[in-house]
Coordinates of all heavy atoms in Angstrom, one line a residue:
M1 N 37.5 18.7 10.8 CA 38.1 17.4 10.5 C 37.2 16.2 10.8 O 37.1 15.4 9.9 CB 39.4 17.3 11.4 CG 40.1 16.1 11.2 SD 41.0 16.2 9.7 CE 41.9 14.7 9.7
L2 N 36.5 16.2 11.9 CA 35.6 15.1 12.2 C 34.4 15.2 11.2 O 33.9 14.1 10.8 CB 35.0 15.3 13.6 CG 34.1 14.2 14.1 CD1 34.9 12.8 14.1 CD2 33.6 14.4 15.6
N3 N 33.9 16.3 10.8 CA 32.9 16.5 9.9 C 33.2 15.8 8.5 O 32.4 15.1 7.9 CB 32.6 17.9 9.6 CG 31.3 18.2 8.9 OD1 30.5 17.3 8.7 ND2 31.1 19.4 8.4
H4 N 34.4 15.9 8.1 CA 34.9 15.4 6.8 C 35.0 13.8 6.9 O 34.6 13.1 6.0 CB 36.2 15.9 6.4 CG 36.2 17.4 6.1 ND1 35.4 18.0 5.1 CD2 36.8 18.4 6.8 CE1 35.5 19.3 5.2 NE2 36.4 19.6 6.2
L5 N 35.4 13.4 8.1 CA 35.6 11.9 8.3 C 34.1 11.3 8.3 O 33.9 10.2 7.6 CB 36.2 11.6 9.6 CG 36.4 10.1 9.9 CD1 37.2 9.4 9.0 CD2 36.9 10.0 11.3
L6 N 33.2 11.9 9.0 CA 31.8 11.4 9.0 C 31.1 11.4 7.6 O 30.4 10.5 7.3 CB 31.0 12.1 10.0 CG 31.3 12.0 11.5 CD1 30.5 12.9 12.3 CD2 31.1 10.5 11.9
T7 N 31.5 12.3 6.8 CA 31.0 12.5 5.5 C 31.5 11.3 4.6 O 30.7 10.7 3.9 CB 31.3 13.8 4.8 OG1 30.8 14.9 5.6 CG2 30.8 13.9 3.4
V8 N 32.8 11.0 4.7 CA 33.4 10.0 4.0 C 32.8 8.6 4.5 O 32.5 7.8 3.6 CB 35.0 9.9 4.2 CG1 35.6 8.7 3.6 CG2 35.5 11.2 3.5
I9 N 32.6 8.4 5.7 CA 32.0 7.2 6.2 C 30.6 7.0 5.7 O 30.2 5.9 5.2 CB 32.1 7.1 7.8 CG1 33.5 7.0 8.2 CG2 31.2 6.0 8.3 CD1 33.7 7.1 9.7
L10 N 29.8 8.1 5.8 CA 28.4 8.0 5.2 C 28.3 7.7 3.7 O 27.6 6.9 3.3 CB 27.7 9.3 5.5 CG 27.1 9.4 6.9 CD1 26.6 10.8 7.2 CD2 26.0 8.4 7.2
L11 N 29.3 8.3 3.0 CA 29.3 8.1 1.5 C 29.8 6.6 1.3 O 29.3 5.9 0.3 CB 30.4 9.1 0.8 CG 29.8 10.5 0.7 CD1 30.9 11.3 0.2 CD2 28.6 10.5 -0.3
L12 N 30.7 6.0 2.1 CA 31.1 4.6 1.9 C 29.9 3.7 2.2 O 29.7 2.8 1.5 CB 32.3 4.4 2.8 CG 32.8 3.0 2.8 CD1 33.4 2.7 1.5 CD2 33.7 2.8 3.9
I13 N 29.1 4.0 3.2 CA 28.0 3.1 3.5 C 27.0 3.2 2.5 O 26.4 2.2 2.0 CB 27.4 3.5 4.9 CG1 28.4 3.2 6.1 CG2 26.1 2.9 5.1 CD1 28.0 3.8 7.4
C14 N 26.7 4.3 2.0 CA 25.6 4.5 1.0 C 26.1 3.9 -0.3 O 25.4 3.2 -1.0 CB 25.3 6.0 0.7 SG 24.5 6.8 2.1
T15 N 27.4 4.1 -0.7 CA 27.9 3.5 -2.0 C 27.9 2.0 -1.9 O 27.5 1.3 -2.9 CB 29.3 4.1 -2.3 OG1 29.3 5.5 -2.3 CG2 29.8 3.4 -3.6
C16 N 28.3 1.4 -0.8 CA 28.4 0.0 -0.7 C 27.0 -0.6 -0.7 O 26.7 -1.7 -1.3 CB 29.1 -0.4 0.6 SG 30.8 -0.1 0.5
A17 N 26.0 0.0 -0.1 CA 24.7 -0.5 -0.1 C 24.0 -0.4 -1.5 O 23.4 -1.4 -1.9 CB 23.8 0.3 0.9
Y18 N 24.4 0.7 -2.2 CA 23.9 0.7 -3.6 C 24.5 -0.3 -4.5 O 23.8 -1.0 -5.3 CB 24.2 2.2 -4.2 CG 23.8 2.3 -5.6 CD1 22.5 2.5 -5.9 CD2 24.7 2.3 -6.6 CE1 22.1 2.6 -7.3 CE2 24.4 2.5 -8.0 CZ 23.1 2.6 -8.3 OH 22.6 2.7 -9.6
L19 N 25.8 -0.5 -4.3 CA 26.5 -1.5 -5.1 C 26.0 -3.0 -4.8 O 25.9 -3.7 -5.8 CB 28.0 -1.5 -4.9 CG 28.8 -0.4 -5.6 CD1 30.3 -0.4 -5.1 CD2 28.7 -0.5 -7.1
R20 N 25.7 -3.2 -3.6 CA 25.1 -4.5 -3.2 C 23.8 -4.7 -3.8 O 23.4 -5.8 -4.1 CB 25.1 -4.8 -1.7 CG 24.8 -6.1 -1.4 CD 25.1 -6.5 0.0 NE 25.0 -7.9 0.3 CZ 23.8 -8.5 0.5 NH1 22.7 -7.8 0.6 NH2 23.8 -9.7 0.7
A21 N 22.9 -3.6 -4.0 CA 21.7 -3.8 -4.5 C 21.8 -4.0 -6.0 O 20.9 -4.7 -6.5 CB 20.8 -2.5 -4.2
M22 N 22.8 -3.4 -6.7 CA 22.8 -3.5 -8.1 C 23.6 -4.8 -8.5 O 23.2 -5.4 -9.5 CB 23.6 -2.3 -8.7 CG 22.9 -1.0 -8.6 SD 21.4 -1.0 -9.6 CE 20.1 -0.7 -8.3
A23 N 24.6 -5.2 -7.8 CA 25.4 -6.4 -8.1 C 25.8 -7.1 -6.8 O 26.9 -6.9 -6.3 CB 26.7 -5.9 -8.8
P24 N 24.9 -7.9 -6.2 CA 25.1 -8.5 -5.0 C 26.4 -9.4 -4.9 O 27.1 -9.5 -3.9 CB 23.8 -9.3 -4.7 CG 22.8 -8.9 -5.7 CD 23.6 -8.2 -6.8
S25 N 26.6 -10.1 -6.0 CA 27.7 -11.0 -6.0 C 29.1 -10.3 -5.9 O 30.1 -10.9 -5.5 CB 27.7 -11.8 -7.3 OG 27.9 -10.9 -8.4
L26 N 29.1 -9.0 -6.2 CA 30.4 -8.3 -6.1 C 30.8 -8.1 -4.7 O 32.1 -8.3 -4.4 CB 30.2 -6.9 -6.8 CG 31.4 -6.0 -6.9 CD1 32.3 -6.6 -7.9 CD2 30.9 -4.6 -7.4
L27 N 29.9 -7.9 -3.7 CA 30.3 -7.7 -2.3 C 30.1 -9.0 -1.6 O 30.9 -9.1 -0.6 CB 29.5 -6.6 -1.7 CG 29.8 -5.3 -2.3 CD1 28.9 -4.2 -1.5 CD2 31.3 -4.9 -2.0
D28 N 29.3 -9.9 -2.0 CA 29.0 -11.1 -1.1 C 30.1 -12.1 -1.1 O 30.3 -12.9 -0.3 CB 27.8 -11.8 -1.6 CG 26.5 -11.0 -1.2 OD1 26.6 -10.1 -0.3 OD2 25.4 -11.3 -1.8
K29 N 31.0 -12.1 -2.1 CA 32.1 -13.0 -2.2 C 33.2 -12.7 -1.2 O 34.1 -13.4 -1.0 CB 32.6 -13.2 -3.6 CG 33.2 -12.0 -4.3 CD 33.6 -12.3 -5.6 CE 34.1 -10.9 -6.4 NZ 34.4 -11.1 -7.7
N30 N 33.2 -11.4 -0.7 CA 34.4 -10.9 0.1 C 33.8 -10.6 1.5 O 33.7 -9.4 1.9 CB 35.0 -9.7 -0.5 CG 35.6 -10.0 -1.8 OD1 36.4 -11.0 -1.9 ND2 35.5 -9.1 -2.8
K31 N 33.3 -11.5 2.3 CA 32.7 -11.2 3.6 C 33.7 -11.1 4.7 O 33.4 -10.6 5.8 CB 31.6 -12.3 3.9 CG 30.4 -12.2 3.0 CD 29.4 -13.3 3.5 CE 28.2 -13.2 2.6 NZ 27.2 -14.2 2.9
T32 N 34.9 -11.6 4.4 CA 36.0 -11.6 5.4 C 37.2 -10.9 4.9 O 37.3 -10.7 3.7 CB 36.4 -13.0 5.9 OG1 36.8 -13.7 4.8 CG2 35.2 -13.7 6.6
G33 N 38.1 -10.5 5.7 CA 39.4 -9.9 5.3 C 39.2 -8.5 5.1 O 38.2 -7.8 5.6
L34 N 40.2 -7.8 4.4 CA 40.2 -6.4 4.3 C 38.9 -5.9 3.4 O 38.4 -4.9 3.7 CB 41.5 -5.9 3.6 CG 41.7 -4.5 3.5 CD1 41.7 -3.8 4.8 CD2 43.0 -4.1 2.8
L35 N 38.6 -6.6 2.4 CA 37.5 -6.2 1.6 C 36.2 -6.5 2.2 O 35.1 -6.1 1.7 CB 37.6 -7.0 0.1 CG 38.7 -6.6 -0.7 CD1 38.8 -7.5 -2.0 CD2 38.7 -5.1 -1.0
G36 N 36.1 -7.3 3.3 CA 34.9 -7.4 4.1 C 34.4 -6.2 4.7 O 33.2 -6.2 5.1
I37 N 35.2 -5.2 4.8 CA 34.8 -3.9 5.3 C 33.6 -3.3 4.4 O 32.6 -2.8 4.9 CB 36.0 -2.9 5.3 CG1 36.9 -3.4 6.4 CG2 35.5 -1.5 5.7 CD1 38.3 -2.6 6.5
F38 N 33.8 -3.5 3.1 CA 32.8 -3.0 2.2 C 31.5 -3.8 2.3 O 30.3 -3.2 2.3 CB 33.3 -3.1 0.7 CG 34.5 -2.3 0.5 CD1 35.7 -2.9 0.1 CD2 34.5 -0.9 0.7 CE1 36.9 -2.1 -0.1 CE2 35.7 -0.1 0.5 CZ 36.8 -0.8 0.1
W39 N 31.5 -5.2 2.5 CA 30.4 -5.9 2.8 C 29.6 -5.5 4.1 O 28.4 -5.3 4.1 CB 30.8 -7.5 2.9 CG 29.6 -8.3 3.1 CD1 28.7 -8.7 2.2 CD2 29.2 -8.9 4.4 NE1 27.7 -9.5 2.8 CE2 28.0 -9.6 4.1 CE3 29.7 -8.8 5.6 CZ2 27.4 -10.3 5.1 CZ3 29.1 -9.5 6.6 CH2 27.9 -10.2 6.4
K40 N 30.4 -5.2 5.1 CA 29.9 -4.8 6.4 C 29.2 -3.4 6.3 O 28.1 -3.1 6.9 CB 31.0 -4.7 7.5 CG 31.4 -6.1 7.9 CD 32.5 -6.1 8.8 CE 33.1 -7.5 9.1 NZ 34.4 -7.6 9.8
C41 N 29.9 -2.6 5.5 CA 29.2 -1.2 5.2 C 27.9 -1.4 4.5 O 26.9 -0.6 4.8 CB 30.1 -0.3 4.4 SG 31.6 0.4 5.4
A42 N 27.8 -2.2 3.5 CA 26.5 -2.6 2.8 C 25.5 -3.1 3.7 O 24.3 -2.7 3.6 CB 26.9 -3.6 1.7
R43 N 25.9 -3.9 4.7 CA 24.9 -4.5 5.6 C 24.4 -3.4 6.6 O 23.2 -3.4 6.9 CB 25.5 -5.6 6.5 CG 25.9 -6.8 5.7 CD 24.8 -7.4 5.0 NE 24.0 -8.1 6.1 CZ 22.8 -8.7 5.7 NH1 22.4 -8.7 4.5 NH2 22.1 -9.3 6.7
I44 N 25.3 -2.5 6.9 CA 24.8 -1.3 7.8 C 23.9 -0.5 7.0 O 22.8 0.0 7.5 CB 26.1 -0.5 8.3 CG1 26.9 -1.3 9.3 CG2 25.6 0.8 8.8 CD1 28.3 -0.7 9.6
G45 N 24.2 -0.2 5.7 CA 23.4 0.6 4.9 C 21.9 0.0 4.7 O 21.0 0.7 4.5
E46 N 21.9 -1.3 4.5 CA 20.7 -2.0 4.4 C 19.8 -2.1 5.6 O 18.6 -1.9 5.6 CB 20.9 -3.5 3.9 CG 21.5 -3.5 2.5 CD 22.0 -4.9 2.2 OE1 21.9 -5.8 3.0 OE2 22.3 -5.1 1.0
R47 N 20.4 -2.4 6.7 CA 19.7 -2.6 7.9 C 19.3 -1.3 8.7 O 18.3 -1.2 9.3 CB 20.5 -3.5 8.9 CG 20.6 -4.9 8.4 CD 21.3 -5.8 9.3 NE 21.4 -7.2 8.9 CZ 21.7 -8.2 9.6 NH1 22.0 -8.0 10.8 NH2 21.7 -9.3 9.0
K48 N 20.2 -0.4 8.6 CA 19.9 0.9 9.3 C 19.6 2.1 8.3 O 20.0 3.2 8.6 CB 21.2 1.3 10.1 CG 21.6 0.3 11.1 CD 20.6 0.2 12.2 CE 21.2 -0.8 13.3 NZ 20.2 -1.1 14.3
S49 N 19.0 1.8 7.2 CA 18.8 2.8 6.1 C 18.0 4.0 6.6 O 18.4 5.1 6.2 CB 18.1 2.1 4.9 OG 16.8 1.6 5.3
P50 N 17.0 3.9 7.5 CA 16.4 5.2 7.9 C 17.4 6.1 8.7 O 17.5 7.3 8.5 CB 15.3 4.8 8.7 CG 15.1 3.4 8.4 CD 16.3 2.8 8.0
Y51 N 18.1 5.4 9.6 CA 19.1 6.2 10.3 C 20.3 6.8 9.4 O 20.7 8.0 9.7 CB 19.7 5.4 11.4 CG 18.7 4.9 12.4 CD1 18.3 3.5 12.4 CD2 18.1 5.7 13.2 CE1 17.4 3.1 13.3 CE2 17.1 5.2 14.1 CZ 16.8 3.9 14.2 OH 15.8 3.4 15.0
V52 N 20.7 6.0 8.4 CA 21.7 6.5 7.5 C 21.2 7.6 6.7 O 21.8 8.6 6.4 CB 22.2 5.3 6.6 CG1 23.1 5.9 5.5 CG2 22.9 4.3 7.5
A53 N 19.9 7.6 6.3 CA 19.3 8.6 5.5 C 19.2 9.9 6.3 O 19.5 11.0 5.8 CB 17.9 8.2 5.0
V54 N 18.8 9.9 7.5 CA 18.7 11.0 8.5 C 20.2 11.6 8.6 O 20.3 12.8 8.6 CB 18.1 10.7 9.8 CG1 18.2 11.8 10.8 CG2 16.6 10.3 9.5
C55 N 21.1 10.8 8.8 CA 22.5 11.3 9.0 C 23.0 12.0 7.8 O 23.7 13.0 7.8 CB 23.4 10.1 9.3 SG 23.2 9.5 11.0
C56 N 22.6 11.5 6.6 CA 23.0 12.0 5.3 C 22.4 13.5 5.2 O 23.1 14.4 4.7 CB 22.6 11.2 4.1 SG 23.7 9.7 3.9
V57 N 21.1 13.5 5.6 CA 20.4 14.9 5.4 C 21.0 15.9 6.4 O 21.4 17.0 6.1 CB 19.0 14.7 5.7 CG1 18.3 16.1 5.9 CG2 18.3 13.9 4.6
I58 N 21.3 15.4 7.6 CA 22.0 16.3 8.6 C 23.4 16.7 8.1 O 23.8 17.8 8.3 CB 22.1 15.5 10.0 CG1 20.7 15.5 10.5 CG2 23.0 16.3 11.0 CD1 20.5 14.5 11.8
M59 N 24.1 15.8 7.6 CA 25.6 16.1 7.1 C 25.4 17.1 6.0 O 26.2 18.0 5.8 CB 26.3 14.8 6.7 CG 26.7 14.0 7.8 SD 27.7 14.9 9.0 CE 29.2 14.7 8.2
A60 N 24.4 16.8 5.0 CA 24.3 17.8 3.9 C 23.9 19.2 4.4 O 24.5 20.2 3.9 CB 23.2 17.2 3.0
L61 N 23.0 19.3 5.4 CA 22.7 20.6 5.9 C 23.9 21.3 6.6 O 24.2 22.4 6.5 CB 21.5 20.5 6.8 CG 20.2 20.1 6.1 CD1 19.1 19.9 7.2 CD2 19.8 21.2 5.1
S62 N 24.7 20.4 7.3 CA 25.8 21.0 8.0 C 26.8 21.5 7.1 O 27.5 22.5 7.3 CB 26.4 20.1 9.0 OG 27.0 19.0 8.4
I63 N 27.1 20.8 6.0 CA 28.0 21.2 5.0 C 27.5 22.5 4.2 O 28.3 23.4 4.0 CB 28.3 20.1 4.0 CG1 29.1 19.0 4.7 CG2 29.1 20.6 2.8 CD1 29.2 17.7 3.9
L64 N 26.2 22.5 3.9 CA 25.7 23.8 3.3 C 25.8 25.0 4.1 O 26.1 26.0 3.6 CB 24.3 23.5 2.9 CG 24.1 22.5 1.6 CD1 22.6 22.3 1.5 CD2 24.7 23.2 0.4
F65 N 25.5 24.9 5.4 CA 25.4 26.1 6.2 C 26.6 26.3 7.2 O 26.4 27.1 8.0 CB 24.1 26.0 7.0 CG 22.8 25.9 6.1 CD1 22.0 24.9 6.0 CD2 22.6 27.0 5.3 CE1 20.9 24.8 5.3 CE2 21.4 27.0 4.5 CZ 20.6 25.9 4.4
S66 N 27.7 25.5 7.0 CA 28.8 25.8 7.9 C 29.7 26.9 7.2 O 29.6 27.1 6.0 CB 29.6 24.5 8.0 OG 30.2 24.2 6.8
D67 N 30.4 27.5 8.1 CA 31.3 28.6 7.6 C 32.5 28.1 7.0 O 33.2 27.2 7.2 CB 31.7 29.5 8.7 CG 30.4 30.3 9.2 OD1 29.5 30.4 8.3 OD2 30.4 30.7 10.3

């Protein structure tokens, strides 16, 4: 269960960072409120990208080799 939650969170961070790189105005106009979560995920993806990449590789391996 926790494995699936972490996978969803990592995918959300990576997707938001990609969307902000392609269309910055889409996420930058919603920095507060409920939609501000996506802006915050994009910031995490940008600032912590090496750590996010390592976590994505670890999650991919754990999904591939888990029973």
Side-chain angles (χ1 to χ4, degrees):
M1 178 76 175
L2 184 62
N3 190 13
H4 300 296
L5 179 64
L6 291 175
T7 302
V8 169
I9 291 171
L10 279 173
L11 285 173
L12 179 66
I13 290 171
C14 293
T15 302
C16 290
Y18 178 77
L19 283 176
R20 189 165 188 278
M22 293 295 121
S25 63
L26 187 65
L27 292 176
D28 285 345
K29 63 183 175 184
N30 297 316
K31 292 183 180 180
T32 60
L34 186 61
L35 294 176
I37 294 170
F38 300 117
W39 179 79
K40 291 174 187 171
C41 287
R43 296 298 287 176
I44 291 170
E46 291 170 352
R47 292 183 179 194
K48 304 289 185 188
S49 60
Y51 300 111
V52 172
V54 168
C55 288
C56 286
V57 170
I58 291 170
M59 288 302 278
L61 292 173
S62 71
I63 290 171
L64 283 174
F65 297 115
S66 66
D67 290 336

